[in-house]
Amino acid sequence: MNGHRNAGIIGTGSCLPDKVMTNKDFEKIVDTTDEWIRTRTGISERRITDGNTATSDLATIAALKALENADLSPEEIDLIIVATVTPDVMFPSTACIVQKNIGAVNAAAFDLEAACAGFLYGLSIADSLVKAGSFRKILVIGAETLSKIVDFSDRNTCVIFGDGAGAAVISEVPEGYGVLSTYIGADGRDGHLLTVPAGGSRIPSSIESVKKRLHYIKMDGKEVFKFAVKIMGDAAEKVLEKCGLTKEDIDYLIPHQANIRIIDASVKRLKISNDKVYINLERYGNMSSASVAIAIDETSRKGILKDGDTVVLVGFGGGLTWGSAVLKWKSIGRY
Ligand code: UT7
């Protein structure tokens, strides 16, 4: 071990609500078409929670699956980080609710908010904490019920988002495996491009704020699009540079699933072939912090990721924020 600790993913899990909402369903509620949504975004359908399901419900199931996958009991977890922009309540944190639900009695718990880059922020923090020896087994969860904050009368936003949760257990792994590098960043100057204006201390909830529809996602899609294409390439290059690798070393790229045109443009810029890129956007839409987490769980369970693969994760979102990571993959449970 060389005196250094290495951290990596030792188990993953995910949870998607059963209810499917197709593009055709949206044709009935806003002025849109299946064709527009597919060609402009790459999305065909997304999962939507029912009225009784909150973010912690999805996060809890994803967490239990990740624990099972890692062959750990809840008591062995010493920290839970939930990345979300759709917490159950203002406080307590969704992480504390998950801690109670799964019985992780020995875990500290907190939420972090970095929008769609949230899971990558969580992974970066967990990696540092395990390497430092401060915590041994950390659950990082990206969980969202975006359907609860989407304005179903705004065609610019409502067709894009979906609900879901993904979880990963981060722990010490043998040298040469796991997280090789992470990179996170932010530019608060452009926060207004993607926001839910009301419900916080700037515009507290009121009859007026509800009437003005200020509790829903507001997005300048075009500007976010431009930022996304630039940052996806930059963040991937930077994180590879940090661990002494180059674009040529990428075996697999797992990008944040926001728009197929953003992914295509980034892939073109990075000059990697499309068969090295995981896309589940057409089935789930953009699930913010859950997107990358669910994609890791799917690629892992399907055996798409092979032992020794160099995997690059990259995401961006409201804040504005971005994050990336390089993993040296090894099949779960075989360390
Ligand atoms: O996770 C990070 C969060 N968000 C993102 O990554 C989103 C980034 N942005 C995008 O993905 C794209 O900008 C959108 C998918 C949101 C929009 O696509 P676009 O190609 O940038 O469309 P646009 O905003 O330039 O709009 C083009 C036209 C407009 O009509 P006019 O003004 O040209 O008559 C829109 O009103 O398309 C119209 N439009 C729609 N038409 C049918 C916008 N939404 C729809 C819709 N159906 N759902």
Side-chain angles (χ1 to χ4, degrees):
M1 283 262 156
N2 243 351
H4 297 292
R5 282 184 202 87
N6 302 281
I9 294 173
I10 63 157
T12 63
S14 58
C15 174
L16 290 146
D18 293 334
K19 188 180 168 196
V20 174
M21 194 161 175
T22 65
N23 292 347
K24 287 269 174 216
D25 294 330
F26 277 99
E27 288 181 358
K28 292 173 209 147
I29 57 173
V30 286
D31 181 14
T32 192
T33 60
D34 171 49
E35 214 258 326
W36 190 97
I37 302 171
R38 271 190 295 105
T39 53
R40 303 309 291 167
T41 72
I43 301 163
S44 297
E45 57 186 49
R46 69 291 289 145
R47 302 298 183 90
I48 304 288
T49 44
D50 60 38
N52 297 321
T53 305
T55 297
S56 69
D57 299 321
L58 304 182
T60 297
I61 294 170
L64 289 171
K65 286 185 179 168
L67 286 177
E68 190 189 8
N69 194 224
D71 200 17
L72 291 178
S73 66
E75 296 81 16
E76 290 173 274
I77 295 296
D78 49 12
L79 178 63
I80 300 171
I81 303 173
V82 173
T84 187
V85 295
T86 47
D88 287 24
V89 290
M90 285 278 272
F91 68 88
S93 68
T94 303
C96 282
I97 300 169
V98 172
Q99 189 241 24
K100 175 194 70 175
N101 289 351
I102 67 174
V105 289
N106 298 311
F110 69 90
D111 283 5
L112 78 79
E113 205 275 77
C116 308
F119 181 78
L120 285 154
Y121 266 62
L123 181 64
S124 177
I125 293 165
D127 174 51
S128 303
L129 292 173
V130 169
K131 280 184 176 144
S134 318
F135 293 88
R136 294 173 65 82
K137 302 266 183 292
I138 304 178
L139 251 176
V140 179
I141 305 169
E144 304 288 2
T145 47
L146 293 165
S147 63
K148 311 279 178 149
I149 58 165
V150 150
D151 185 346
F152 281 97
S153 68
D154 175 12
R155 69 175 183 175
N156 292 293
T157 52
C158 70
V159 300
I160 299 171
F161 298 103
D163 301 343
V169 181
I170 317 301
S171 166
E172 194 171 347
V173 299
E175 194 174 356
Y177 286 102
V179 181
L180 303 186
S181 61
T182 64
Y183 167 56
I184 56 175
D187 184 354
R189 290 171 301 182
D190 284 330
H192 59 280
L193 296 178
L194 184 47
T195 179
V196 174
S201 59
R202 183 63 66 193
I203 308 176
S205 308
S206 65
I207 291 170
E208 198 64 11
S209 68
V210 172
K211 275 190 187 152
K212 288 183 176 163
R213 310 183 80 77
L214 297 179
H215 296 268
Y216 294 123
I217 296 176
K218 313 283 176 198
M219 180 174 76
D220 182 335
K222 265 195 190 335
E223 287 305 313
V224 175
F225 192 101
K226 280 192 240 164
F227 155 73
V229 172
K230 183 174 175 340
I231 206 65
M232 291 269 272
D234 288 355
E237 282 173 3
K238 178 101 177 196
V239 77
L240 283 161
E241 195 185 304
K242 277 181 86 173
C243 62
L245 298 177
T246 66
K247 294 184 280 195
E248 288 70 43
D249 296 310
I250 302 176
D251 293 308
Y252 220 77
L253 178 75
I254 299 183
H256 172 48
Q257 311 280 316
N259 185 317
I260 193 67
R261 292 184 293 133
I262 294 174
I263 296 174
D264 285 347
S266 313
V267 165
K268 213 167 152 190
R269 212 191 114 179
L270 288 166
K271 297 197 181 73
I272 58 173
S273 71
N274 285 319
D275 56 1
K276 290 183 174 177
V277 184
Y278 191 68
I279 293 163
N280 58 16
L281 177 74
E282 71 281 4
R283 288 176 284 141
Y284 306 141
N286 178 348
M287 299 176 290
S288 191
S289 68
S291 281
V292 171
I294 290 173
I296 299 171
D297 185 49
E298 288 192 340
T299 46
S300 167
R301 283 174 194 264
K302 287 178 183 168
I304 293 171
L305 302 181
K306 306 271 181 285
D307 283 2
D309 273 358
T310 298
V311 184
V312 173
L313 315 173
V314 58
F316 62 90
L320 301 172
T321 56
W322 56 88
S324 48
V326 182
L327 308 178
K328 184 60 94 175
W329 191 257
K330 188 149 195 231
S331 305
I332 281 154
R334 280 206 238 140
Y335 281 109

